[in-house]
Coordinates of all heavy atoms in Angstrom, one line a residue:
M16 N 55.0 92.5 105.4 CA 55.9 91.5 104.8 C 57.0 92.3 104.3 O 56.9 93.3 103.6 CB 55.0 90.9 103.8 CG 56.0 89.8 103.1 SD 55.0 89.0 101.8 CE 54.3 87.6 102.8
S17 N 58.3 92.0 104.7 CA 59.5 92.5 104.1 C 60.0 91.9 102.7 O 59.7 90.7 102.5 CB 60.6 92.6 105.1 OG 61.0 91.2 105.3
T18 N 60.6 92.6 101.9 CA 61.0 92.0 100.7 C 62.6 91.9 100.8 O 63.2 93.0 101.2 CB 60.7 93.1 99.6 OG1 59.2 93.3 99.4 CG2 61.3 92.5 98.2
V19 N 63.1 90.8 100.4 CA 64.4 90.5 100.3 C 65.0 91.0 99.0 O 64.4 90.4 97.9 CB 64.9 89.2 100.7 CG1 66.4 88.9 100.6 CG2 64.3 88.9 102.1
R20 N 66.1 91.8 98.9 CA 66.7 92.1 97.6 C 68.2 91.6 97.7 O 68.8 91.8 98.6 CB 66.5 93.6 97.4 CG 65.2 94.0 97.2 CD 65.0 95.6 96.8 NE 63.7 95.9 96.9 CZ 63.4 97.2 96.8 NH1 64.3 98.1 96.7 NH2 62.1 97.4 96.7
H21 N 68.6 91.1 96.6 CA 70.0 90.8 96.5 C 70.6 91.7 95.3 O 70.0 92.0 94.3 CB 70.1 89.4 96.0 CG 69.6 88.3 97.0 ND1 70.4 87.9 98.0 CD2 68.3 87.8 97.2 CE1 69.7 87.1 98.7 NE2 68.4 87.1 98.2
V22 N 71.7 92.2 95.6 CA 72.5 93.0 94.8 C 73.8 92.3 94.4 O 74.7 91.8 95.2 CB 72.9 94.4 95.5 CG1 73.7 95.2 94.5 CG2 71.6 95.1 95.9
T23 N 74.0 92.3 93.1 CA 75.3 91.6 92.6 C 76.2 92.7 92.3 O 75.9 93.6 91.5 CB 75.0 90.7 91.4 OG1 73.9 89.8 91.7 CG2 76.2 90.1 90.8
V24 N 77.4 92.6 93.0 CA 78.5 93.5 92.7 C 79.4 93.0 91.7 O 79.9 92.0 91.7 CB 79.4 93.7 94.1 CG1 80.5 94.6 93.7 CG2 78.5 94.2 95.2
V25 N 79.5 93.8 90.5 CA 80.1 93.3 89.4 C 81.5 94.1 89.2 O 82.2 93.8 88.3 CB 79.1 93.5 88.0 CG1 78.1 92.5 88.0 CG2 78.8 95.0 87.9
E26 N 81.6 95.2 89.9 CA 82.9 95.9 89.9 C 83.2 96.5 91.2 O 82.5 97.0 91.9 CB 82.8 97.0 88.8 CG 84.1 97.8 88.6 CD 83.8 98.8 87.5 OE1 83.0 98.7 86.8 OE2 84.9 99.8 87.5
N27 N 84.5 96.4 91.6 CA 85.0 97.0 92.7 C 84.8 98.5 92.7 O 85.4 99.1 91.8 CB 86.4 96.6 93.0 CG 87.1 97.2 94.2 OD1 86.4 98.1 95.0 ND2 88.4 96.9 94.5
I28 N 84.1 99.0 93.5 CA 83.8 100.5 93.4 C 85.1 101.2 93.8 O 85.1 102.5 93.5 CB 82.6 101.0 94.4 CG1 82.9 100.7 95.7 CG2 81.4 100.3 93.8 CD1 81.9 101.3 96.7
L29 N 86.0 100.7 94.5 CA 87.3 101.4 94.7 C 88.4 101.0 93.8 O 89.6 101.3 94.1 CB 87.7 101.0 96.2 CG 86.7 101.5 97.5 CD1 87.2 100.9 98.7 CD2 86.5 102.9 97.4
K30 N 87.9 100.6 92.7 CA 88.9 100.2 91.6 C 89.9 101.4 91.3 O 91.1 101.2 91.2 CB 88.3 99.7 90.4 CG 89.1 99.2 89.3 CD 88.4 98.7 88.1 CE 89.1 98.3 87.0 NZ 88.4 97.8 86.0
A31 N 89.3 102.6 91.1 CA 90.1 103.7 90.7 C 91.0 104.1 91.9 O 92.3 104.5 91.7 CB 89.3 105.0 90.6
N32 N 90.6 103.9 93.1 CA 91.4 104.2 94.3 C 92.5 103.3 94.3 O 93.7 103.6 94.6 CB 90.5 104.1 95.4 CG 91.4 104.7 96.8 OD1 91.9 105.6 96.7 ND2 91.6 103.7 97.7
D33 N 92.3 101.9 94.1 CA 93.4 100.9 94.1 C 94.3 101.3 93.0 O 95.6 101.0 93.4 CB 92.6 99.6 93.9 CG 91.8 99.2 95.1 OD1 92.0 99.7 96.2 OD2 91.1 98.2 94.9
Y34 N 93.9 101.6 92.0 CA 94.8 101.9 90.8 C 95.8 103.0 91.2 O 97.0 103.0 91.0 CB 94.0 102.3 89.6 CG 94.9 102.7 88.5 CD1 95.6 101.9 87.6 CD2 95.0 104.1 88.2 CE1 96.5 102.4 86.5 CE2 95.9 104.6 87.0 CZ 96.6 103.6 86.3 OH 97.4 104.1 85.2
L35 N 95.1 104.2 91.7 CA 96.0 105.3 92.1 C 97.0 105.0 93.0 O 98.1 105.3 93.2 CB 95.0 106.4 92.6 CG 95.8 107.7 93.0 CD1 96.6 108.3 92.0 CD2 94.7 108.7 93.5
A36 N 96.5 104.1 94.2 CA 97.4 103.8 95.2 C 98.7 102.9 94.6 O 99.8 103.1 95.2 CB 96.7 102.8 96.2
R37 N 98.5 102.0 93.7 CA 99.5 101.3 93.1 C 100.4 102.2 92.3 O 101.6 102.1 92.4 CB 98.9 100.1 92.2 CG 98.4 99.0 92.9 CD 98.2 97.9 91.9 NE 97.2 98.1 90.8 CZ 95.9 98.1 90.8 NH1 95.4 97.7 91.9 NH2 95.2 98.5 89.9
E38 N 99.9 103.1 91.6 CA 100.7 104.1 90.9 C 101.6 104.9 91.8 O 102.7 105.2 91.7 CB 99.9 105.0 90.1 CG 99.2 104.3 88.8 CD 100.3 103.7 87.9 OE1 101.2 104.5 87.5 OE2 100.2 102.6 87.5
L39 N 101.1 105.5 92.9 CA 101.8 106.3 93.9 C 102.9 105.5 94.5 O 103.9 105.9 94.6 CB 100.8 106.8 94.9 CG 99.9 108.0 94.4 CD1 98.9 108.1 95.6 CD2 100.7 109.2 94.1
K40 N 102.5 104.1 94.9 CA 103.6 103.3 95.6 C 104.6 103.1 94.6 O 105.9 103.1 95.0 CB 103.0 101.9 95.9 CG 104.1 101.1 96.6 CD 103.4 99.8 97.1 CE 104.3 99.0 98.0 NZ 105.8 99.0 97.6
S41 N 104.4 102.8 93.3 CA 105.4 102.7 92.3 C 106.3 103.9 92.2 O 107.6 103.7 92.2 CB 104.8 102.4 91.0 OG 104.2 101.0 90.9
E42 N 105.7 105.0 92.2 CA 106.5 106.3 91.9 C 107.3 106.4 93.3 O 108.5 106.9 93.2 CB 105.5 107.5 91.8 CG 106.3 108.8 91.9 CD 107.3 109.1 90.7 OE1 107.1 108.4 89.5 OE2 108.3 109.7 90.9
W43 N 106.8 106.3 94.5 CA 107.5 106.5 95.7 C 108.7 105.5 95.7 O 109.9 105.8 96.1 CB 106.7 106.2 96.8 CG 105.8 107.4 97.1 CD1 105.8 108.7 96.7 CD2 104.3 107.3 97.6 NE1 104.7 109.5 96.9 CE2 103.8 108.6 97.7 CE3 103.6 106.4 98.2 CZ2 102.5 109.0 98.0 CZ3 102.5 106.5 98.7 CH2 101.9 107.9 98.6
D44 N 108.5 104.2 95.2 CA 109.5 103.2 95.1 C 110.7 103.6 94.3 O 111.9 103.6 94.7 CB 109.0 101.8 94.7 CG 108.1 101.2 95.7 OD1 108.2 101.6 97.1 OD2 107.5 100.2 95.5
R45 N 110.3 104.1 93.1 CA 111.3 104.6 92.1 C 112.1 105.7 92.6 O 113.4 105.9 92.4 CB 110.7 105.0 91.0 CG 110.2 103.9 90.0 CD 110.0 104.4 88.5 NE 108.6 105.2 88.4 CZ 107.4 104.9 88.5 NH1 107.2 103.6 88.5 NH2 106.5 105.6 88.5
S46 N 111.5 106.7 93.5 CA 112.2 107.8 94.0 C 112.9 107.6 95.4 O 113.6 108.6 95.9 CB 111.3 109.0 94.1 OG 110.2 108.8 95.0
G47 N 112.7 106.3 95.8 CA 113.3 106.1 97.0 C 112.6 107.0 98.2 O 113.2 107.2 99.3
T48 N 111.4 107.2 98.1 CA 110.6 107.9 99.2 C 109.8 106.9 100.1 O 109.3 106.1 99.7 CB 109.6 108.8 98.6 OG1 110.1 109.7 97.7 CG2 108.7 109.5 99.6
F49 N 110.2 107.2 101.5 CA 109.7 106.2 102.4 C 108.3 106.9 102.9 O 108.3 108.1 103.3 CB 110.6 106.1 103.6 CG 110.1 105.1 104.7 CD1 110.0 103.9 104.5 CD2 109.9 105.8 105.8 CE1 109.4 103.1 105.5 CE2 109.5 105.0 106.9 CZ 109.1 103.7 106.7
V50 N 107.3 106.2 102.7 CA 106.0 106.7 103.2 C 105.3 105.8 104.2 O 105.3 104.6 104.1 CB 105.0 106.7 101.9 CG1 103.7 107.3 102.3 CG2 105.7 107.6 100.7
V51 N 104.8 106.5 105.3 CA 104.1 105.7 106.3 C 102.7 106.5 106.4 O 102.6 107.6 106.6 CB 104.8 106.1 107.7 CG1 104.0 105.3 108.8 CG2 106.1 105.4 107.6
N52 N 101.7 105.7 106.4 CA 100.3 106.0 106.6 C 99.8 105.6 108.1 O 99.8 104.6 108.4 CB 99.5 105.4 105.6 CG 98.0 105.8 105.5 OD1 97.7 106.8 106.2 ND2 97.2 105.2 104.8
I53 N 99.5 106.7 108.8 CA 99.0 106.4 110.2 C 97.5 106.8 110.3 O 97.2 108.0 110.0 CB 99.9 107.2 111.2 CG1 101.4 106.9 111.2 CG2 99.3 106.9 112.6 CD1 102.1 107.7 112.0
M54 N 96.7 106.0 110.5 CA 95.3 106.2 110.5 C 94.6 105.5 111.8 O 95.0 104.4 112.1 CB 94.5 105.7 109.4 CG 94.9 106.4 108.1 SD 94.0 105.6 106.7 CE 92.4 105.9 107.1
S55 N 93.7 106.2 112.5 CA 93.1 105.7 113.7 C 92.0 106.7 114.0 O 91.9 107.7 113.6 CB 94.0 105.3 114.8 OG 94.6 106.5 115.4
S56 N 91.3 106.4 115.1 CA 90.3 107.3 115.6 C 90.8 108.6 116.2 O 92.0 108.5 116.7 CB 89.5 106.5 116.7 OG 88.9 105.3 116.3
P57 N 90.0 109.6 116.3 CA 90.5 110.8 116.9 C 90.7 110.5 118.5 O 90.1 109.7 119.1 CB 89.2 111.7 116.8 CG 88.3 111.2 115.6 CD 88.7 109.7 115.7
G58 N 91.8 111.2 118.9 CA 92.3 111.1 120.2 C 93.0 109.7 120.6 O 93.5 109.5 121.6
A59 N 93.5 109.0 119.5 CA 94.3 107.7 119.7 C 95.7 107.8 119.9 O 96.4 107.0 120.4 CB 94.0 106.8 118.4
G60 N 96.2 109.0 119.6 CA 97.6 109.3 119.9 C 98.5 109.6 118.7 O 99.8 109.4 118.7
K61 N 97.9 109.7 117.5 CA 98.7 109.7 116.2 C 99.6 110.9 116.1 O 100.8 110.7 115.9 CB 97.8 109.9 115.0 CG 96.8 108.6 114.7 CD 95.9 109.0 113.7 CE 94.9 110.1 113.9 NZ 94.0 109.9 114.9
T62 N 99.2 112.0 116.6 CA 99.9 113.3 116.7 C 101.0 113.1 117.7 O 102.2 113.5 117.6 CB 99.1 114.4 116.9 OG1 98.1 114.6 115.8 CG2 100.0 115.8 116.8
S63 N 100.7 112.5 118.9 CA 101.8 112.4 120.0 C 102.8 111.5 119.5 O 103.9 111.7 119.8 CB 101.0 111.9 121.1 OG 100.1 112.8 121.7
L64 N 102.4 110.5 118.7 CA 103.5 109.6 118.1 C 104.4 110.4 117.3 O 105.6 110.1 117.3 CB 102.8 108.5 117.5 CG 103.8 107.4 116.7 CD1 104.4 106.7 117.7 CD2 102.9 106.5 115.8
L65 N 103.8 111.2 116.4 CA 104.7 112.0 115.4 C 105.5 112.9 116.2 O 106.8 113.2 115.8 CB 103.8 112.7 114.6 CG 103.1 111.8 113.4 CD1 102.1 112.6 112.7 CD2 104.1 111.2 112.5
E66 N 105.1 113.5 117.3 CA 105.8 114.4 118.1 C 107.0 113.8 118.7 O 108.0 114.3 118.9 CB 105.0 115.1 119.2 CG 104.0 116.1 118.6 CD 102.9 116.7 119.6 OE1 102.5 115.8 120.5 OE2 102.7 117.9 119.7
A67 N 106.9 112.5 119.1 CA 107.9 111.8 119.7 C 109.0 111.3 118.6 O 110.1 111.2 119.0 CB 107.3 110.6 120.5
T68 N 108.5 110.9 117.5 CA 109.4 110.2 116.5 C 110.0 111.2 115.5 O 111.2 111.0 115.1 CB 108.7 109.1 115.8 OG1 107.5 109.6 115.1 CG2 108.2 108.0 116.7
L69 N 109.4 112.3 115.2 CA 109.9 113.2 114.2 C 111.2 113.8 114.6 O 112.1 113.9 113.8 CB 109.0 114.3 113.8 CG 107.8 113.7 112.9 CD1 106.8 115.0 112.7 CD2 108.3 113.5 111.5
P70 N 111.4 114.2 115.9 CA 112.7 114.8 116.3 C 113.7 113.8 116.1 O 114.9 114.1 115.9 CB 112.5 115.2 117.7 CG 111.1 115.5 117.8 CD 110.4 114.4 117.0
L71 N 113.5 112.4 116.2 CA 114.5 111.3 116.0 C 114.9 111.2 114.6 O 116.1 111.0 114.3 CB 113.9 110.0 116.5 CG 113.6 109.9 118.0 CD1 113.0 108.6 118.3 CD2 114.8 110.0 118.8
I72 N 113.9 111.6 113.6 CA 114.4 111.4 112.3 C 115.2 112.8 111.9 O 116.1 112.7 111.2 CB 113.1 111.4 111.4 CG1 112.3 110.2 111.6 CG2 113.4 111.6 109.8 CD1 110.9 110.2 111.1
G73 N 114.7 113.8 112.5 CA 115.4 115.2 112.3 C 115.1 115.8 110.8 O 114.6 115.1 110.0
P74 N 115.7 116.9 110.6 CA 115.6 117.6 109.3 C 116.2 116.8 108.1 O 115.9 117.0 107.0 CB 116.0 118.9 109.6 CG 117.0 118.9 110.7 CD 116.4 117.6 111.5
R75 N 117.3 116.0 108.4 CA 118.1 115.3 107.4 C 117.1 114.3 106.6 O 117.3 114.1 105.5 CB 119.2 114.5 108.0 CG 120.3 115.5 108.5 CD 121.5 114.6 108.9 NE 121.2 113.4 109.4 CZ 121.9 112.4 109.7 NH1 123.2 112.4 109.3 NH2 121.5 111.3 110.3
G76 N 116.2 113.7 107.2 CA 115.3 112.9 106.6 C 114.2 113.6 105.8 O 113.6 112.9 105.1
R77 N 114.1 114.9 105.9 CA 113.2 115.8 105.2 C 111.8 115.2 105.2 O 111.1 115.1 104.3 CB 113.7 115.9 103.8 CG 114.9 116.5 103.5 CD 115.4 116.7 102.1 NE 114.4 116.7 101.1 CZ 114.4 116.3 99.9 NH1 115.6 116.0 99.4 NH2 113.4 116.3 99.1
P78 N 111.3 115.0 106.5 CA 110.0 114.5 106.6 C 108.9 115.7 106.3 O 109.2 116.8 106.6 CB 109.8 114.2 108.1 CG 110.8 114.9 108.9 CD 112.1 115.1 107.8
L79 N 107.8 115.2 105.7 CA 106.7 116.1 105.3 C 105.5 115.3 106.0 O 105.3 114.2 105.8 CB 106.5 116.2 103.9 CG 105.2 116.8 103.5 CD1 105.0 118.2 103.8 CD2 105.0 116.7 102.0
V80 N 104.7 116.0 106.7 CA 103.5 115.5 107.3 C 102.3 116.0 106.7 O 102.0 117.1 106.7 CB 103.4 115.6 108.9 CG1 102.2 115.0 109.7 CG2 104.7 115.1 109.5
L81 N 101.5 115.0 106.2 CA 100.2 115.4 105.6 C 99.2 115.2 106.6 O 98.9 114.0 107.2 CB 99.8 114.5 104.4 CG 98.5 114.7 103.7 CD1 98.3 116.2 103.2 CD2 98.3 113.8 102.5
V82 N 98.4 116.1 107.2 CA 97.5 116.0 108.3 C 96.1 116.2 107.8 O 95.7 117.2 107.1 CB 97.7 117.2 109.3 CG1 96.8 116.9 110.6 CG2 99.2 117.0 109.9
G83 N 95.3 115.1 108.0 CA 93.9 115.1 107.7 C 93.1 115.4 109.0 O 93.1 114.5 109.8
D84 N 92.4 116.4 109.1 CA 91.6 116.8 110.3 C 90.2 117.0 109.9 O 90.0 117.7 108.8 CB 92.3 117.8 111.0 CG 91.8 118.1 112.4 OD1 90.6 118.0 112.7 OD2 92.6 118.0 113.3
I85 N 89.3 116.7 110.8 CA 87.9 116.9 110.5 C 87.4 118.4 110.3 O 86.8 118.8 109.4 CB 86.9 116.1 111.5 CG1 87.2 114.7 111.2 CG2 85.5 116.5 111.4 CD1 86.4 113.8 112.3
E86 N 88.0 119.1 111.5 CA 87.5 120.6 111.5 C 88.7 121.5 111.8 O 88.3 122.7 111.6 CB 86.4 120.7 112.5 CG 85.2 119.8 112.1 CD 83.9 120.2 113.0 OE1 84.0 121.0 113.9 OE2 83.0 119.5 113.0
T87 N 89.8 121.2 112.3 CA 90.7 122.1 112.8 C 92.1 121.8 112.3 O 92.3 120.9 111.5 CB 90.9 122.1 114.4 OG1 91.6 120.9 114.7 CG2 89.5 122.2 115.1
A88 N 93.0 122.7 112.5 CA 94.4 122.5 112.0 C 95.3 122.5 113.3 O 96.5 122.6 113.2 CB 94.9 123.9 111.3
R89 N 94.7 122.0 114.3 CA 95.4 122.0 115.7 C 96.6 121.0 115.6 O 97.7 121.2 116.1 CB 94.6 121.6 116.7 CG 93.7 122.8 117.3 CD 93.0 122.3 118.6 NE 91.7 123.1 118.6 CZ 90.6 122.5 118.6 NH1 90.4 121.2 118.5 NH2 89.4 123.2 118.6
D90 N 96.4 119.8 115.0 CA 97.5 118.7 114.8 C 98.5 119.3 114.0 O 99.7 119.1 114.3 CB 96.9 117.5 114.3 CG 96.0 116.8 115.3 OD1 96.0 117.1 116.5 OD2 95.2 115.9 114.8
A91 N 98.3 119.9 112.8 CA 99.4 120.5 111.9 C 100.1 121.5 112.7 O 101.3 121.6 112.5 CB 98.5 121.0 110.6
E92 N 99.4 122.3 113.4 CA 100.1 123.3 114.3 C 101.1 122.8 115.2 O 102.2 123.3 115.4 CB 99.1 124.3 114.9 CG 98.3 125.2 114.0 CD 97.2 125.8 114.5 OE1 96.9 125.5 115.7 OE2 96.5 126.4 113.8
R93 N 100.7 121.6 115.8 CA 101.6 121.0 116.8 C 102.9 120.4 116.1 O 103.9 120.5 116.6 CB 100.8 119.8 117.5 CG 99.8 120.3 118.6 CD 99.0 119.1 119.1 NE 99.8 118.1 119.6 CZ 99.2 116.9 120.1 NH1 97.8 116.7 119.9 NH2 99.9 116.0 120.6
I94 N 102.7 119.9 114.9 CA 103.9 119.4 114.2 C 104.7 120.5 113.7 O 105.9 120.6 113.7 CB 103.5 118.4 113.0 CG1 102.5 117.3 113.4 CG2 104.6 118.0 112.1 CD1 103.3 116.4 114.5
E95 N 104.1 121.5 113.1 CA 104.8 122.7 112.6 C 105.6 123.3 113.8 O 106.7 123.9 113.6 CB 104.0 123.8 112.1 CG 103.4 123.3 110.7 CD 102.5 124.2 110.1 OE1 101.9 125.1 110.8 OE2 102.1 124.1 108.9
A96 N 105.2 123.3 115.0 CA 105.9 123.9 116.2 C 107.1 123.2 116.4 O 108.1 123.7 117.0 CB 104.9 123.8 117.5
L97 N 107.2 121.9 116.0 CA 108.6 121.2 116.0 C 109.5 121.5 115.1 O 110.7 121.1 115.0 CB 108.2 119.7 116.1 CG 107.3 119.1 117.2 CD1 107.0 117.8 117.1 CD2 108.1 119.4 118.6
G98 N 109.0 122.3 114.0 CA 109.9 122.7 112.9 C 109.8 121.8 111.7 O 110.7 121.9 110.8
F99 N 108.7 121.0 111.5 CA 108.5 120.1 110.4 C 107.5 120.7 109.4 O 106.5 121.2 110.0 CB 108.3 118.7 111.0 CG 109.5 118.2 111.6 CD1 109.5 118.1 113.1 CD2 110.4 117.5 111.0 CE1 110.6 117.5 113.8 CE2 111.4 117.0 111.7 CZ 111.6 117.1 113.0
E100 N 107.7 120.5 108.2 CA 106.6 121.0 107.2 C 105.4 120.1 107.3 O 105.5 118.8 107.4 CB 107.3 120.8 105.8 CG 106.5 121.5 104.8 CD 107.1 121.4 103.5 OE1 108.3 121.0 103.2 OE2 106.4 121.8 102.5
T101 N 104.4 120.7 107.2 CA 103.0 120.0 107.1 C 102.1 120.5 106.1 O 102.3 121.7 105.5 CB 102.2 120.2 108.4 OG1 101.9 121.4 108.6 CG2 103.1 119.7 109.7
V102 N 101.3 119.7 105.5 CA 100.2 120.1 104.6 C 98.9 119.8 105.4 O 98.8 118.6 105.8 CB 100.3 119.4 103.3 CG1 99.1 119.7 102.4 CG2 101.7 119.8 102.7
Q103 N 98.1 120.6 105.5 CA 96.8 120.4 106.3 C 95.7 120.2 105.3 O 95.3 121.0 104.2 CB 96.4 121.6 107.1 CG 95.1 121.7 107.7 CD 94.9 120.5 108.7 OE1 95.8 120.4 109.5 NE2 93.8 120.0 108.7
I104 N 94.9 119.2 105.4 CA 93.6 118.9 104.7 C 92.6 118.9 105.8 O 92.5 118.1 106.7 CB 93.7 117.5 104.1 CG1 94.8 117.4 103.0 CG2 92.4 117.3 103.4 CD1 95.0 116.0 102.4
T105 N 91.6 119.8 105.8 CA 90.5 119.8 106.6 C 89.2 119.3 105.9 O 88.9 119.7 104.8 CB 90.0 121.3 107.0 OG1 91.3 121.9 107.6 CG2 89.0 121.2 108.0
T106 N 88.7 118.1 106.4 CA 87.9 117.4 105.7 C 86.4 117.8 105.7 O 85.4 117.2 105.2 CB 87.8 115.8 106.0 OG1 87.6 115.7 107.4 CG2 89.3 115.3 105.7
G107 N 86.2 118.8 106.6 CA 84.8 119.3 106.9 C 83.8 118.3 107.4 O 82.6 118.3 106.9
G108 N 84.3 117.5 108.3 CA 83.3 116.5 109.0 C 83.2 115.1 108.4 O 82.5 114.4 108.8
T109 N 83.9 114.8 107.3 CA 83.9 113.6 106.8 C 85.2 112.9 106.8 O 86.4 113.5 106.9 CB 83.5 113.5 105.3 OG1 84.2 114.3 104.5 CG2 82.0 114.0 105.2

């Protein structure tokens, strides 16, 4: 016989994340910084999209690419090869 349990959620567990996101957005708005967040499954074409669009922006736009990769720095290396600054975050499988 299985037991049914009900859990009542009394607080958004991502509350701190939501707060930080609002604060960052406010700061970027104040400084006139344009931010784009591109997320999708591995192999979906995110890096290829950046390789095609960053040259159109050029260095005058001063783009910085923050690359989150599970295990390698390959995507960051591809962007750096185009002459654009990157910051690599290797997430170690998560």
Side-chain angles (χ1 to χ4, degrees):
M16 177 182 276
S17 66
T18 302
V19 176
R20 294 183 183 173
H21 296 276
V22 176
T23 303
V24 177
V25 293
E26 184 175 346
N27 179 355
I28 60 170
L29 297 177
K30 184 177 181 179
N32 187 63
D33 292 344
Y34 172 79
L35 181 58
R37 281 192 305 275
E38 289 296 308
L39 288 170
K40 183 178 181 332
S41 293
E42 178 59 32
W43 292 328
D44 288 346
R45 280 192 297 276
S46 68
T48 301
F49 180 70
V50 178
V51 176
N52 183 8
I53 302 172
M54 294 177 59
S55 67
S56 301
K61 299 175 296 294
T62 303
S63 296
L64 176 66
L65 290 171
E66 287 174 318
T68 57
L69 285 171
L71 300 174
I72 297 169
R75 288 186 324 166
R77 296 182 24 209
L79 168 69
V80 180
L81 177 64
V82 180
D84 196 309
I85 295 173
E86 295 185 9
T87 72
R89 284 187 213 118
D90 291 339
E92 291 165 357
R93 287 171 58 186
I94 300 303
E95 287 175 344
L97 297 172
F99 294 97
E100 185 178 358
T101 65
V102 174
Q103 172 67 44
I104 299 172
T105 304
T106 62
T109 58

